[in-house]
Amino acid sequence: MESAVSSATTDGNAKTTNGTEPQTSTPAQTNGEINDITSDPLACTVAEKNVLNPPSPFYKIALTGGPCGGKTTALARLSRYLIERGFEVMTCPESFGMVVTNGMDLSYIGAIPGMPNVIQDTVMSLQITHEDGFEAILKARGKPSVLICDRGVMDGSVYMDYSDFERLVQKRGLEVCDVREGRYNCVFHMVSAAEGAEQHYTTLNNEVRSETPEEAREVDSKTIAVWVGHPNLSIFDNSTDFETKVSRIVNAAANLVGLPTNAKRFTKYLLMCEPKLEDFPAEVDYRVFEVEKVYLLNSIDAKMDSNENKPNKEYSFVRKRSQGQSSIYGQTTVTYDSSTREEIEVKRIIATRQEYNTICQMRDTDRHVLVQTRISFLWKKQSFAIHTYRQ
């Protein structure tokens, strides 16, 4: 039976990765040195095991936006905020900027036919390599950590034909949904100052940028559009002063990592009927997904708060989000703290279908499997998702 349809505006939804306790090996004394020895011939160091099975949460943020949106300032503020609260933090530099600042002149882009694709192919390789390497370092450390990426892999699609971008992704054995939804826990888009704060727009502080305000607005809109479909896309416009804009981003990051915040994450609406795709305006980009949500055994639990001696309720579910033949998997644990009346979501990306199927074996058969159709779209610089419950 089909239920009512609801819509939610996203503003910093949490998405995170939980880990398990690392496996440890038995030290042995050899020639005066301590060696890590196990009976497993493929045994590795504790750090390497941490990479495979992180013992602490790891969070990955893609910080993107249009020209002169404030990314540099926000990145520095986010890093300081998280470090001061006990997180290990690394920042992944913008790959295109790295290429330009190391000798590539912007005139190369149009020098000969095919140069944009070669450049974006190089940028994609650098981006993926740096992100994966920095992620491994943070996970190996074994402590709660955050990787803040100056732009995400999808940003490259703005500067080339989309079919060529798909080809670059596929030659790496991936699909577009893998790099859009499977790499980052959340995406923060900072709208260009050319959109709503024109008096502050400038390119003088960034040698990589040369856009006019009109061009900046076009790039900004295209950049938002390529991320439509990510379940945790948050857009930070210029409806407030810049300091408040950055504070909104910090609050969204606090939601992500489970720190206290009074920021409102999203608003839900009940729609009277299911919208038809053919009724969407031609200028509105949208993406359609099929979602399966499976609640797990023992997912409703009562844990006593040591300070207030009050029960904290908790439940957990896994989710498969499919578009065509590609699927992304995740797990969410929701805890309600009765002492603060705060509901905290902790999410992690499930890497493989095999792991998802294994977890589904712990399904709570007393609860229904929820099947949804979700439509993600942008409207007036806001991100929306329509959830239609099929069963």
Side-chain angles (χ1 to χ4, degrees):
M1 178 177 180
E2 182 172 323
S3 69
V5 184
S6 63
S7 172
T9 303
T10 307
D11 190 9
N13 285 337
K15 190 162 188 176
T16 176
T17 304
N18 281 343
T20 57
E21 289 300 320
Q23 300 177 6
T24 57
S25 57
T26 304
Q29 190 83 23
T30 306
N31 297 327
E33 298 180 354
I34 299 294
N35 294 319
D36 184 32
I37 298 176
T38 70
S39 58
D40 184 355
L42 299 179
C44 54
T45 65
V46 173
E48 290 169 321
K49 291 176 181 176
N50 285 349
V51 174
L52 298 175
N53 291 297
S56 297
F58 169 78
Y59 311 80
K60 188 174 181 181
I61 301 171
L63 183 61
T64 184
C68 192
K71 289 193 297 94
T72 301
T73 300
L75 192 148
R77 187 79 62 82
L78 274 177
S79 297
R80 183 171 68 251
Y81 173 84
L82 293 166
I83 290 171
E84 288 174 351
R85 284 153 182 80
F87 290 90
E88 303 286 335
V89 178
M90 292 183 69
T91 57
C92 187
E94 181 184 0
S95 297
F96 182 77
M98 186 184 307
V99 172
V100 172
T101 56
N102 281 278
M104 191 197 81
D105 192 275
L106 294 178
S107 64
Y108 285 19
I109 296 174
I112 59 174
M115 278 299 291
N117 288 4
V118 172
I119 292 170
Q120 290 303 325
D121 193 10
T122 301
V123 168
M124 185 182 293
S125 294
L126 287 172
Q127 181 96 28
I128 291 174
T129 299
H130 284 132
E131 286 183 11
D132 291 350
F134 290 8
E135 179 176 336
I137 290 172
L138 287 172
K139 287 182 176 179
R141 185 75 173 90
K143 295 185 176 182
S145 56
V146 180
L147 176 60
I148 309 173
C149 302
D150 189 344
R151 298 200 174 279
V153 175
M154 285 300 299
D155 284 29
S157 65
V158 174
Y159 304 96
M160 62 190 301
D161 185 84
Y162 195 76
S163 62
D164 290 335
F165 178 81
E166 287 181 309
R167 180 177 57 82
L168 295 184
V169 171
Q170 289 168 356
K171 83 174 191 176
R172 291 168 169 82
L174 302 170
E175 296 295 335
V176 170
C177 71
D178 295 322
V179 296
R180 185 181 61 221
E181 301 159 50
R183 292 189 64 83
Y184 310 98
N185 299 112
C186 64
V187 178
F188 294 164
H189 179 98
M190 301 187 69
V191 174
S192 169
E195 184 72 60
E198 292 84 352
Q199 68 274 24
H200 299 295
Y201 181 76
T202 180
T203 59
L204 297 179
N205 58 350
N206 190 338
E207 63 180 296
V208 176
R209 315 293 343 182
S210 60
E211 294 89 350
T212 65
E214 293 77 14
E215 292 171 336
R217 286 190 284 270
E218 181 180 0
V219 169
D220 189 272
S221 295
K222 288 182 176 179
T223 303
I224 296 175
V226 300
W227 288 104
V228 172
H230 193 289
N232 291 311
L233 168 63
S234 298
I235 302 169
F236 301 91
D237 60 18
N238 298 302
S239 58
T240 62
D241 59 47
F242 182 71
E243 181 61 31
T244 305
K245 181 181 182 180
V246 175
S247 295
R248 286 154 55 201
I249 293 175
V250 170
N251 281 328
N255 272 324
L256 171 70
V257 301
L259 292 173
T261 175
N262 294 322
K264 192 175 184 178
R265 291 185 298 170
F266 53 79
T267 301
K268 292 184 178 181
Y269 305 92
L270 182 65
L271 305 185
M272 299 304 296
C273 62
E274 179 180 354
K276 298 178 181 180
L277 294 178
E278 56 266 29
D279 292 337
F280 275 66
E283 67 274 14
V284 175
D285 290 324
Y286 63 83
R287 291 183 174 85
V288 181
F289 304 88
E290 300 300 325
V291 177
E292 175 186 83
K293 184 184 291 187
V294 180
Y295 287 86
L296 304 180
L297 279 172
N298 302 319
S299 58
I300 300 181
D301 190 17
K303 297 182 179 181
M304 301 304 294
D305 185 293
S306 59
N307 297 322
E308 301 292 336
N309 198 34
K310 296 178 181 178
N312 293 331
K313 297 181 179 179
E314 179 178 295
Y315 64 91
S316 182
F317 59 85
V318 291
R319 181 188 64 254
K320 178 172 71 173
R321 179 183 170 98
S322 302
Q323 185 180 36
Q325 299 301 312
S326 301
S327 297
I328 300 296
Y329 310 94
Q331 180 172 359
T332 301
T333 300
V334 181
T335 302
Y336 178 77
D337 189 332
S338 59
S339 62
T340 62
R341 296 184 179 180
E342 183 179 12
E343 188 176 86
I344 300 174
E345 287 189 357
V346 178
K347 300 187 178 183
R348 73 180 186 97
I349 296 172
I350 296 175
T352 65
R353 180 175 60 182
Q354 180 181 4
E355 182 184 359
Y356 174 80
N357 290 337
T358 299
I359 297 175
C360 282
Q361 294 177 11
M362 296 182 288
R363 175 197 164 197
D364 185 349
T365 55
D366 289 334
R367 307 188 71 174
H368 294 290
V369 175
L370 297 182
V371 179
Q372 303 172 335
T373 297
R374 294 188 185 179
I375 307 172
S376 298
F377 66 97
L378 295 173
W379 178 253
K380 294 184 178 181
K381 298 291 183 179
Q382 294 188 76
S383 175
F384 291 86
I386 299 174
H387 298 192
T388 302
Y389 291 84
R390 302 300 181 190
Q391 68 180 46

